[in-house]
Structure formats: C-alpha cells, structure tokens
Amino acid sequence: MKKWLCMLLCMAMTTSASPVWAAGNTEEDKATEAAAGDETAFVKSITADCELAPYGYRVTSFVLTVDSTADLMNLKADDFQMNNCVMDQMAHEVRNIPAKQVSFTENQVLIEVEPFYLKISGGGYGDPFTMTCTNENLDFGYDEAMAGIKCDTVDAFDLLESTSGSTTVPYWLYSPETQDEALPLVIFNHGGMNDAGEVAAIDAAPFIVSFAEEESQKKLPCYVMASVRDNDVDTQETCAAIKGAIDGLVESGKVDPNRVYMTGESAGAMATMTFANQYPGYLAAIVLLNGGPFDVSLDNTLEEATAMDLNAPYSDAELETFANSGTSVMFVQSLGDILSVPIRFATVYNKLLNLGMKPGDNLVWHSYTAEQYNYLLGDGTVVLPDNESYTAVDNITGKTTYSSSTGKLHSSSCGASNDSFIKMWLVDQTLADPVEYVPYEVEGEDYTQIPEGYTKYQNYKATVVGSAVDVLCAMNDDETEFYLYFFTFNDDQVLKGKINEDGTVQVLYDLTGFMAGEAENALAGIDESAWQPVE
C-alpha cells in the first residue's frame, strides 16, 4: 500500500483521530466551553503539504481538518503565525513568518505559507517550530502535535524488498500510472557507508524522486527505484538482490531490459560501479555523482593518478571490463567538493578514455562550479566561500571555482535533481540499436532564431561541460559580439556577450544562469572559414 512518510524530528505525532485543542485546554475546560456555547473550532488533525526541493521537503501549506468551517470564514492570513522556521539548508536562516493565504473547504482550512524546511525546524537551529492562531474562533497553539507530512511525489512510492541468499534489500519503487509498452527503469544508490534507513533512502534522494514528478513523467515516463543498502552485509548478495528486483520488473513486461539505468552518489557511486562490474553489460548506462576512488588525492597529478592501479571498484582490470561492456557512463562532479575531490573522478574518466571509450558519446564528463551548483538548487540555499576555501580545479576542462569546508558541495545530486541534461542523456542510452532521439517540444521563444544585430553565423561541435555539443554561433561583422545556442541540451541554453580588445570573453546574458563558464570552450570551436551570412 502507499505510505505517508511521517518524519518530523523532535516532534511527537498525533494520528488523524487525535484532536488538537488549544494549548492548556483540559477535558473539563472543553466541556465547560461547549456548555457555554463556545464556538471555538475543534481541530481533528493537521497535515503539512510539502513540495520536493533539492535538499528534501519544504512545507508549502498546512491543512487543518475540522468538523465544519461554517464558523471559521472570518479567518485571515494574519491570524496565523509560524515561529522558528528554517528557511534554507546552508545559512539555516530562522524566521517567524505569517501565513500567506487562507482558504476553506467544507471541513478543512488550507493555510498557505512561504516554503520552509519543516523537518529541520525542530530546534536544532533555535527553538522548536510552533504555530499559533489568534482568531477567537480557532484559538489553538501547539509545539508537539502533527498529523503527518504529505508529499504527493514521495507518497507515490511503494516500499518493497528483494532477497538473495541471507541478504534482504528493501527498496522504494515508483510505478507509472499507465503504460502502453515496456518502460525504462532508473535506480539510485544512496550515499553513506552505513544503512541509511528506509525513510532516509527516499527522503534524502531528491535526484531520483525528481524522475517521478509529474512533469518529468510527461517527458520521460519510467519506473523509479531507490535501494536501501547496508554496507555491512554481503556486497555480492546485495547486488544480486537488487538485480532480482530488476529482473522481476523485466520478466513482467513492465521494464525494457535495454534501458535499465543505475545512478549513485558518494558511496552509492561506488555501489553502482560495483554492480556494473558484477554484471557487465547488464545496464545501459550509469551516472556516478561525486564518489571517486579514495586512493587518489590532491597531492597527485592527473598523469600520476592515471598510472596507478586503483582499488576496487576502479581497478585497472575492472575498468577494462567496463570499457568493453557496452554500458555508457556519465561522471557528475561538484568541483568544490572537499570529500571526493575532482581529481578522483577525473582519474577514472581519463583511464576509461585511454581504454577507448568515446567522450561525449558513451563517456561523459559533467561538472558544476560552486556558482552553477547554487543556481541549480533554486531554493534560496547558497554555498559561499569561507576562510578555509581554496581554488578547486576541474582536471578535465580546466574550469576553476571555490571549495567549501562545510562539505555541502559534496551533495551533487541536490543540484542534479534540477539538471535536465543528465536526465535526457541518461534515458537516451540503450543496449539495443540506437533509436532516433526526438526531444520534447520547446515552448515559448524560439532561441534557434538568430536575433537582430548579428551578421554571420556557423554551426559546429564544441566540447562543453565535458561533452561534444552542437553549437550555433552568430557574430557581428567585427566579431566583438557573439550569440551562442547549444542544440544538444533539451532545455534552452543561450549565451550572449562580447569579446574585448585583449581577447577576453565577457558574458552579458546567460539564459539559465550556469553556462557562462563554458563560453570560451564554445567559442574555441569556431572555424573562420565556415562563416555564412545571416539572411
């Protein structure tokens, strides 16, 4: 059956059958009020409606269930106050906020609020969260009573399990409501070296849950799985148990065996590579997020590290088998990560390149500067440099950014949950003969049309974000102003800027906010003999 995840830390929970009364109201008080004809409403339950955000849930509204709202129609937003709300996941700004809007059904009061992280508003960054109402018709206050959290996307997952030998692996599974054919399956292996727990494996996995969101399913219908691994048990049996769950979906005709994809972050990236090594050629593609080999450090050069025979799952023998398995791989690296520094993944990427894998095809390097990471979060969380920050270098592209001693930049999956490029690349991989890829329809302005002011253009391939990308470049006559459109991405990516007299590139407009660092790489692909006039 579908499960609600009731996960408010430091808060006791009531069931929907347990009334929530005004703080301090005893049963004798209630009886006295009722006898006196008191019209104060009787609240049966409270539910927090949440949205999925890069760092977990954010509350967007509270639903109060009552016997009737007939006597509550005078409630206003100003009557409700939320106290000690944690607004972001980095600075942990704590604020007291009023409600934004109040609306009603026959027996429910809907209280819309500015989104905040309820799960961590339990007192760890100040006093515990409380909510009060000053209207005499609904005069209550509580700090330890909640009915539960409701997040439609997460609630659509079922908790199941699969066993191999003596090892049982729980896993969360999202199943599309309808399907006319066998669909892709996307799997996520959580980070952490110990058992993450059933709840945490899905609560802390916004990247994989984002595949189940309604808009994503419209474009990329697929099954979605999140494993709940325990690294203290038999690794081979863990992989076999996960494979057993996949095989069951394939045998039932639900999942296309040529389009099974596995992703993982940190220790989960290593678990993903371990699975790929145990079953070569079983997966169409893998995405590894910030989980490189521990035996490479910042003290190594890329040349030195590439010459090393690394420990499992990145040993030379394992990588040679992988390179010839038919499975594609994308490395997603947050450059400011201090836990899995860029040179670790760069080393593995370089080894696979030397083994004959094709960059931009079955081997993709995809990195984020700290600024790009902040942009992708989109929830007000900003990771800034600190006293211990240093200049972090992308060993593949040469990009630089700052590190963060907080370790927040290790969680590349948080930004990746809003990165459509990863999703669109992943589900375009197949073990079968390649099929023509048709991107979903782009709505709004057609950015492939060259704006006025540019007199010549050309199309070419350039290495951008570690991949070979189709580029449209337009310039003015004296080549001091440029317009770049990137065809490979399925969300519009546009840069406009100028080239200064000293040859430096200055980006003046970045449609999405995280492509500015790629302007020089894109312009490097220009062929001066290939210009065509803009008609």
Side-chain angles (χ1 to χ4, degrees), residues 107-167:
N107 66 341
Q108 289 185 328
V109 181
L110 175 64
I111 307 164
E112 297 181 31
V113 299
E114 182 180 350
F116 69 96
Y117 286 93
L118 181 57
K119 182 182 175 184
I120 60 172
S121 298
Y125 302 99
D127 294 330
F129 168 79
T130 63
M131 176 180 173
T132 58
C133 176
T134 58
N135 190 292
E136 61 182 9
N137 289 342
L138 190 69
D139 184 11
F140 78 99
Y142 73 91
D143 56 9
E144 292 183 346
M146 282 297 294
I149 293 180
K150 180 176 180 293
C151 182
D152 289 340
T153 306
V154 173
D155 293 346
F157 281 76
D158 289 308
L159 181 59
L160 306 171
E161 60 182 30
S162 179
T163 299
S164 176
S166 60
T167 301

Side-chain angles (χ1 to χ4, degrees), residues 4 27 34 36 63 81 128 131 161 194 252 259 325 337 341 344 388 414 436 475:
W4 279 12
E27 293 301 323
V63 178
Q81 179 78 11
M131 176 180 173
E161 60 182 30
N194 296 310
S252 66
R259 301 179 72 194
S325 68
D337 181 14
V341 291
R344 290 180 174 175
E388 298 181 32
C414 295
E436 182 179 358
M475 284 192 169

Side-chain angles (χ1 to χ4, degrees), residues 399-519:
K399 289 191 297 186
T400 61
T401 189
Y402 56 84
S403 69
S404 171
S405 64
T406 64
K408 286 283 186 180
L409 293 175
H410 179 61
S411 302
S412 55
S413 68
C414 295
S417 63
N418 288 327
D419 188 346
S420 62
F421 172 65
I422 297 175
K423 293 182 173 67
M424 302 307 292
W425 174 86
L426 184 67
V427 298
D428 195 33
Q429 309 305 306
T430 177
L431 293 176
D433 293 333
V435 296
E436 182 179 358
Y437 173 61
V438 180
Y440 62 89
E441 182 179 355
V442 177
E443 299 178 356
E445 184 175 349
D446 183 2
Y447 290 98
T448 63
Q449 298 298 309
I450 298 172
E452 294 183 1
Y454 301 95
T455 57
K456 56 185 179 181
Y457 77 97
Q458 60 178 278
N459 293 289
Y460 55 87
K461 283 190 178 292
T463 301
V464 176
V465 293
S467 303
V469 173
D470 292 315
V471 177
L472 163 67
C473 176
M475 284 192 169
N476 59 351
D477 281 333
D478 59 6
E479 298 187 11
T480 58
E481 297 178 7
F482 64 85
Y483 176 88
L484 293 169
Y485 179 84
F486 304 89
F487 284 95
T488 301
F489 302 94
N490 291 277
D491 284 346
D492 284 319
Q493 306 284 354
V494 173
L495 292 177
K496 298 178 186 178
K498 64 180 182 179
I499 300 176
N500 299 316
E501 291 184 1
D502 60 1
T504 58
V505 175
Q506 183 177 358
V507 174
L508 303 176
Y509 175 76
D510 183 355
L511 177 64
T512 61
F514 64 91
M515 289 294 290
E518 300 293 339

Side-chain angles (χ1 to χ4, degrees), residues 198-371:
E198 293 174 356
V199 167
I202 195 74
D203 174 40
F207 171 68
I208 193 62
V209 175
S210 69
F211 280 87
E213 290 186 303
E214 182 178 0
E215 288 303 310
S216 181
Q217 283 288 314
K218 286 179 181 178
K219 302 169 186 175
L220 311 169
C222 62
Y223 283 80
V224 185
M225 181 186 296
S227 70
V228 186
R229 302 178 344 276
D230 183 347
N231 291 298
D232 293 331
V233 302
D234 188 290
T235 301
Q236 286 192 336
E237 288 188 352
T238 296
C239 290
I242 295 173
K243 182 176 180 292
I246 301 169
D247 288 342
L249 292 169
V250 170
E251 291 166 4
S252 66
K254 296 177 179 179
V255 165
D256 182 352
N258 291 311
R259 301 179 72 194
V260 177
Y261 315 110
M262 186 171 286
T263 67
E265 180 173 49
S266 191
M270 294 186 177
T272 298
M273 196 68 187
T274 298
F275 184 99
N277 291 337
Q278 188 165 322
Y279 302 106
Y282 182 83
L283 302 169
I286 61 175
V287 174
L288 307 178
L289 302 104
N290 283 56
F294 291 131
D295 35 348
V296 176
S297 73
L298 288 173
D299 294 332
N300 300 119
T301 65
L302 184 58
E303 183 179 7
E304 291 171 346
T306 302
M308 297 164 55
D309 189 359
L310 307 174
N311 294 326
Y314 300 117
S315 69
D316 285 351
E318 289 169 314
L319 292 180
E320 184 174 2
T321 298
F322 179 85
N324 294 294
S325 68
T327 299
S328 301
V329 58
M330 175 186 286
F331 294 91
V332 179
Q333 177 69 52
S334 177
L335 298 176
D337 181 14
I338 62 171
L339 302 176
S340 182
V341 291
I343 193 171
R344 290 180 174 175
F345 261 171
T347 298
V348 182
Y349 174 91
N350 210 35
K351 283 175 173 284
L352 292 174
L353 183 66
N354 292 342
L355 287 167
M357 294 191 73
K358 299 177 181 178
D361 183 6
N362 60 0
L363 176 65
V364 175
W365 178 263
H366 190 53
S367 62
Y368 302 141
T369 63
E371 295 87 353

